[in-house]
Short mmCIF file of all heavy atoms in Angstrom, two decimals:
data_model
loop_
_atom_site.label_atom_id
_atom_site.label_comp_id
_atom_site.label_asym_id
_atom_site.label_seq_id
_atom_site.Cartn_x
_atom_site.Cartn_y
_atom_site.Cartn_z
N ALA P 1 8.07 9.93 8.06
CA ALA P 1 8.36 9.51 6.72
C ALA P 1 9.10 10.63 5.99
O ALA P 1 8.94 11.80 6.32
CB ALA P 1 7.09 9.14 5.95
N GLN P 2 9.90 10.25 5.01
CA GLN P 2 10.64 11.20 4.21
C GLN P 2 10.55 10.82 2.74
O GLN P 2 10.36 9.65 2.39
CB GLN P 2 12.13 11.25 4.60
CG GLN P 2 12.41 11.50 6.06
CD GLN P 2 12.97 10.28 6.73
OE1 GLN P 2 12.25 9.34 7.04
NE2 GLN P 2 14.28 10.30 6.98
N ILE P 3 10.74 11.80 1.89
CA ILE P 3 10.75 11.57 0.45
C ILE P 3 11.61 12.63 -0.21
O ILE P 3 11.62 13.78 0.22
CB ILE P 3 9.31 11.53 -0.12
CG1 ILE P 3 9.30 10.99 -1.55
CG2 ILE P 3 8.67 12.92 -0.04
CD1 ILE P 3 7.89 10.64 -2.03
N SER P 4 12.31 12.24 -1.27
CA SER P 4 13.02 13.23 -2.07
C SER P 4 12.04 13.81 -3.07
O SER P 4 11.36 13.08 -3.80
CB SER P 4 14.22 12.59 -2.79
OG SER P 4 13.80 11.54 -3.65
N TYR P 5 11.95 15.13 -3.07
CA TYR P 5 10.94 15.76 -3.91
C TYR P 5 11.20 15.50 -5.39
O TYR P 5 10.27 15.24 -6.15
CB TYR P 5 10.89 17.26 -3.64
CG TYR P 5 9.69 17.92 -4.27
CD1 TYR P 5 8.44 17.87 -3.65
CD2 TYR P 5 9.78 18.57 -5.49
CE1 TYR P 5 7.34 18.45 -4.22
CE2 TYR P 5 8.67 19.15 -6.08
CZ TYR P 5 7.45 19.09 -5.45
OH TYR P 5 6.34 19.67 -6.02
N GLY P 6 12.45 15.54 -5.79
CA GLY P 6 12.77 15.37 -7.19
C GLY P 6 12.89 13.93 -7.65
O GLY P 6 12.44 13.60 -8.75
N GLY P 7 13.49 13.07 -6.81
CA GLY P 7 13.80 11.73 -7.25
C GLY P 7 12.82 10.65 -6.83
O GLY P 7 12.85 9.56 -7.39
N GLY P 8 11.97 10.93 -5.85
CA GLY P 8 10.99 9.96 -5.44
C GLY P 8 11.45 8.92 -4.43
O GLY P 8 10.67 8.04 -4.07
N GLN P 9 12.73 9.01 -3.97
CA GLN P 9 13.16 8.11 -2.92
C GLN P 9 12.34 8.38 -1.67
O GLN P 9 12.00 9.52 -1.37
CB GLN P 9 14.64 8.33 -2.58
CG GLN P 9 15.59 8.05 -3.72
CD GLN P 9 17.02 8.32 -3.31
OE1 GLN P 9 17.55 7.64 -2.42
NE2 GLN P 9 17.65 9.29 -3.94
N SER P 10 12.03 7.33 -0.92
CA SER P 10 11.22 7.51 0.27
C SER P 10 11.54 6.45 1.31
O SER P 10 12.07 5.38 0.98
CB SER P 10 9.73 7.46 -0.08
OG SER P 10 9.34 6.20 -0.55
N LYS P 11 11.21 6.74 2.56
CA LYS P 11 11.27 5.76 3.63
C LYS P 11 10.27 6.14 4.70
O LYS P 11 9.87 7.30 4.81
CB LYS P 11 12.68 5.62 4.20
CG LYS P 11 13.26 6.88 4.82
CD LYS P 11 14.67 6.59 5.33
CE LYS P 11 15.32 7.81 5.93
NZ LYS P 11 16.68 7.51 6.45
N VAL P 12 9.86 5.14 5.46
CA VAL P 12 8.86 5.31 6.49
C VAL P 12 9.41 4.75 7.80
O VAL P 12 10.06 3.69 7.81
CB VAL P 12 7.55 4.59 6.11
CG1 VAL P 12 6.50 4.74 7.20
CG2 VAL P 12 7.02 5.12 4.78
N ALA P 13 9.16 5.45 8.88
CA ALA P 13 9.63 5.00 10.19
C ALA P 13 9.03 3.65 10.54
O ALA P 13 7.87 3.36 10.23
CB ALA P 13 9.29 6.03 11.26
N ASP P 14 9.84 2.82 11.21
CA ASP P 14 9.38 1.50 11.60
C ASP P 14 8.11 1.55 12.44
O ASP P 14 7.28 0.64 12.36
CB ASP P 14 10.48 0.75 12.35
CG ASP P 14 11.63 0.34 11.47
OD1 ASP P 14 11.46 0.29 10.23
OD2 ASP P 14 12.71 0.05 12.00
N SER P 15 7.96 2.60 13.24
CA SER P 15 6.83 2.68 14.14
C SER P 15 5.49 2.78 13.42
O SER P 15 4.45 2.44 13.99
CB SER P 15 7.00 3.86 15.10
OG SER P 15 7.07 5.08 14.38
N VAL P 16 5.51 3.26 12.17
CA VAL P 16 4.26 3.42 11.42
C VAL P 16 4.27 2.69 10.10
O VAL P 16 3.30 2.78 9.34
CB VAL P 16 3.92 4.91 11.21
CG1 VAL P 16 3.65 5.60 12.54
CG2 VAL P 16 5.03 5.62 10.46
N LYS P 17 5.37 1.98 9.79
CA LYS P 17 5.42 1.25 8.53
C LYS P 17 4.30 0.20 8.51
O LYS P 17 4.05 -0.49 9.48
CB LYS P 17 6.78 0.57 8.37
CG LYS P 17 6.95 -0.17 7.04
CD LYS P 17 8.36 -0.70 6.86
CE LYS P 17 9.34 0.41 6.58
NZ LYS P 17 10.69 -0.12 6.23
N GLY P 18 3.65 0.13 7.36
CA GLY P 18 2.50 -0.75 7.21
C GLY P 18 1.18 -0.05 7.39
O GLY P 18 0.15 -0.56 6.93
N ARG P 19 1.20 1.10 8.05
CA ARG P 19 -0.01 1.89 8.21
C ARG P 19 0.08 3.23 7.48
O ARG P 19 -0.93 3.70 6.95
CB ARG P 19 -0.30 2.15 9.68
CG ARG P 19 -0.63 0.91 10.48
CD ARG P 19 -1.27 1.27 11.82
NE ARG P 19 -0.40 2.09 12.65
CZ ARG P 19 -0.70 3.31 13.09
NH1 ARG P 19 -1.87 3.86 12.78
NH2 ARG P 19 0.16 3.98 13.85
N PHE P 20 1.26 3.84 7.46
CA PHE P 20 1.44 5.14 6.84
C PHE P 20 2.30 5.00 5.58
O PHE P 20 3.25 4.21 5.55
CB PHE P 20 2.16 6.12 7.78
CG PHE P 20 1.38 6.53 8.99
CD1 PHE P 20 0.15 5.97 9.30
CD2 PHE P 20 1.89 7.51 9.84
CE1 PHE P 20 -0.56 6.36 10.43
CE2 PHE P 20 1.19 7.90 10.96
CZ PHE P 20 -0.04 7.34 11.25
N THR P 21 1.97 5.76 4.56
CA THR P 21 2.78 5.84 3.36
C THR P 21 2.95 7.30 2.96
O THR P 21 2.08 8.14 3.22
CB THR P 21 2.19 5.06 2.19
OG1 THR P 21 0.87 5.53 1.91
CG2 THR P 21 2.13 3.57 2.50
N ILE P 22 4.06 7.61 2.31
CA ILE P 22 4.33 8.95 1.84
C ILE P 22 4.45 8.91 0.31
O ILE P 22 4.96 7.95 -0.26
CB ILE P 22 5.60 9.55 2.48
CG1 ILE P 22 5.74 11.04 2.16
CG2 ILE P 22 6.85 8.76 2.10
CD1 ILE P 22 6.84 11.74 2.96
N SER P 23 3.98 9.95 -0.32
CA SER P 23 4.09 10.06 -1.77
C SER P 23 4.16 11.53 -2.15
O SER P 23 3.90 12.42 -1.32
CB SER P 23 2.91 9.37 -2.47
OG SER P 23 1.69 9.98 -2.13
N ARG P 24 4.52 11.78 -3.38
CA ARG P 24 4.55 13.16 -3.85
C ARG P 24 4.09 13.20 -5.30
O ARG P 24 4.26 12.25 -6.07
CB ARG P 24 5.93 13.78 -3.69
CG ARG P 24 7.05 13.04 -4.44
CD ARG P 24 7.39 13.72 -5.70
NE ARG P 24 8.56 13.15 -6.36
CZ ARG P 24 8.55 12.11 -7.19
NH1 ARG P 24 7.40 11.45 -7.41
NH2 ARG P 24 9.65 11.71 -7.79
N ASP P 25 3.48 14.30 -5.66
CA ASP P 25 3.01 14.55 -7.01
C ASP P 25 3.57 15.90 -7.42
O ASP P 25 3.04 16.95 -7.03
CB ASP P 25 1.48 14.54 -7.07
CG ASP P 25 0.94 14.67 -8.48
OD1 ASP P 25 1.68 15.09 -9.38
OD2 ASP P 25 -0.24 14.35 -8.68
N THR P 26 4.65 15.89 -8.19
CA THR P 26 5.30 17.15 -8.54
C THR P 26 4.44 17.99 -9.48
O THR P 26 4.57 19.21 -9.50
CB THR P 26 6.66 16.89 -9.18
OG1 THR P 26 6.52 16.02 -10.31
CG2 THR P 26 7.61 16.22 -8.17
N SER P 27 3.57 17.35 -10.24
CA SER P 27 2.68 18.13 -11.11
C SER P 27 1.64 18.89 -10.32
O SER P 27 1.15 19.93 -10.77
CB SER P 27 1.99 17.21 -12.13
OG SER P 27 1.07 16.34 -11.52
N LYS P 28 1.28 18.39 -9.15
CA LYS P 28 0.34 19.06 -8.26
C LYS P 28 1.04 19.82 -7.14
O LYS P 28 0.37 20.50 -6.35
CB LYS P 28 -0.62 18.03 -7.64
CG LYS P 28 -1.50 17.33 -8.63
CD LYS P 28 -2.60 18.24 -9.14
CE LYS P 28 -3.62 17.47 -9.98
NZ LYS P 28 -4.70 18.36 -10.48
N ASN P 29 2.36 19.69 -7.05
CA ASN P 29 3.14 20.35 -6.00
C ASN P 29 2.64 19.98 -4.61
O ASN P 29 2.42 20.84 -3.76
CB ASN P 29 3.13 21.87 -6.18
CG ASN P 29 3.68 22.31 -7.51
OD1 ASN P 29 2.98 22.92 -8.31
ND2 ASN P 29 4.94 22.00 -7.75
N THR P 30 2.47 18.66 -4.40
CA THR P 30 1.98 18.20 -3.11
C THR P 30 2.78 17.00 -2.62
O THR P 30 3.31 16.22 -3.41
CB THR P 30 0.50 17.78 -3.19
OG1 THR P 30 0.34 16.79 -4.21
CG2 THR P 30 -0.39 18.96 -3.50
N VAL P 31 2.87 16.88 -1.31
CA VAL P 31 3.41 15.71 -0.64
C VAL P 31 2.32 15.19 0.29
O VAL P 31 1.74 15.96 1.05
CB VAL P 31 4.68 16.04 0.16
CG1 VAL P 31 5.19 14.81 0.90
CG2 VAL P 31 5.77 16.57 -0.78
N THR P 32 2.05 13.90 0.22
CA THR P 32 0.90 13.32 0.89
C THR P 32 1.35 12.29 1.92
O THR P 32 2.28 11.52 1.68
CB THR P 32 -0.04 12.66 -0.11
OG1 THR P 32 -0.56 13.65 -0.99
CG2 THR P 32 -1.21 11.97 0.59
N LEU P 33 0.69 12.28 3.07
CA LEU P 33 0.84 11.22 4.05
C LEU P 33 -0.50 10.49 4.13
O LEU P 33 -1.50 11.08 4.55
CB LEU P 33 1.23 11.76 5.42
CG LEU P 33 1.49 10.71 6.48
CD1 LEU P 33 2.80 9.96 6.18
CD2 LEU P 33 1.55 11.33 7.87
N GLN P 34 -0.52 9.24 3.70
CA GLN P 34 -1.72 8.40 3.77
C GLN P 34 -1.65 7.59 5.06
O GLN P 34 -0.72 6.82 5.27
CB GLN P 34 -1.82 7.49 2.56
CG GLN P 34 -3.01 6.54 2.59
CD GLN P 34 -4.33 7.27 2.47
OE1 GLN P 34 -4.51 8.08 1.57
NE2 GLN P 34 -5.25 6.97 3.38
N MET P 35 -2.64 7.79 5.91
CA MET P 35 -2.70 7.11 7.21
C MET P 35 -3.85 6.11 7.17
O MET P 35 -4.99 6.48 6.89
CB MET P 35 -2.93 8.12 8.33
CG MET P 35 -1.92 9.26 8.36
SD MET P 35 -2.41 10.67 9.39
CE MET P 35 -2.60 9.87 10.99
N LYS P 36 -3.54 4.85 7.47
CA LYS P 36 -4.54 3.81 7.53
C LYS P 36 -4.62 3.23 8.93
O LYS P 36 -3.64 3.24 9.67
CB LYS P 36 -4.21 2.69 6.52
CG LYS P 36 -4.17 3.14 5.07
CD LYS P 36 -3.83 1.98 4.15
CE LYS P 36 -3.80 2.41 2.70
NZ LYS P 36 -3.43 1.29 1.79
N ASN P 37 -5.80 2.72 9.26
CA ASN P 37 -6.01 2.08 10.57
C ASN P 37 -5.49 2.99 11.69
O ASN P 37 -4.67 2.58 12.52
CB ASN P 37 -5.32 0.71 10.61
CG ASN P 37 -5.66 -0.07 11.85
OD1 ASN P 37 -6.72 0.10 12.45
ND2 ASN P 37 -4.76 -0.97 12.25
N VAL P 38 -5.97 4.20 11.73
CA VAL P 38 -5.49 5.14 12.74
C VAL P 38 -5.87 4.68 14.12
O VAL P 38 -6.89 3.99 14.32
CB VAL P 38 -6.01 6.57 12.47
CG1 VAL P 38 -5.49 7.06 11.13
CG2 VAL P 38 -7.52 6.62 12.53
N LYS P 39 -5.05 5.06 15.10
CA LYS P 39 -5.21 4.66 16.48
C LYS P 39 -5.21 5.90 17.36
O LYS P 39 -4.70 6.94 16.96
CB LYS P 39 -4.06 3.73 16.90
CG LYS P 39 -3.93 2.48 16.03
CD LYS P 39 -2.73 1.65 16.41
CE LYS P 39 -2.60 0.42 15.54
NZ LYS P 39 -1.43 -0.40 15.92
N PRO P 40 -5.76 5.79 18.58
CA PRO P 40 -5.74 6.96 19.47
C PRO P 40 -4.34 7.53 19.69
O PRO P 40 -4.21 8.76 19.82
CB PRO P 40 -6.34 6.42 20.77
CG PRO P 40 -7.25 5.33 20.32
CD PRO P 40 -6.55 4.69 19.15
N GLU P 41 -3.32 6.70 19.71
CA GLU P 41 -1.97 7.19 19.91
C GLU P 41 -1.44 7.98 18.72
O GLU P 41 -0.37 8.58 18.80
CB GLU P 41 -1.01 6.05 20.24
CG GLU P 41 -1.03 4.91 19.24
CD GLU P 41 -1.90 3.75 19.69
OE1 GLU P 41 -2.99 4.00 20.22
OE2 GLU P 41 -1.48 2.59 19.52
#
């Protein structure tokens, strides 16, 4: 996944779309990857 730090544009790879999301909080100076329904792979 990718995100523009300043503008908030983002995209997620097809292989994990629907399970993973990316976000950023500039006030906290963090970029987050939220993973749902994780699998052994």
Side-chain angles (χ1 to χ4, degrees):
Q2 306 111 283
I3 192 166
S4 60
Y5 191 81
Q9 298 179 64
S10 66
K11 61 180 179 179
V12 179
D14 289 341
S15 60
V16 295
K17 183 174 288 187
R19 295 195 300 121
F20 293 6
T21 57
I22 189 170
S23 62
R24 59 101 172 86
D25 185 343
T26 56
S27 69
K28 296 286 188 180
N29 301 118
T30 56
V31 178
T32 297
L33 184 71
Q34 178 67 51
M35 306 165 59
K36 299 180 179 178
N37 189 27
V38 298
K39 303 175 180 180
E41 54 262 42

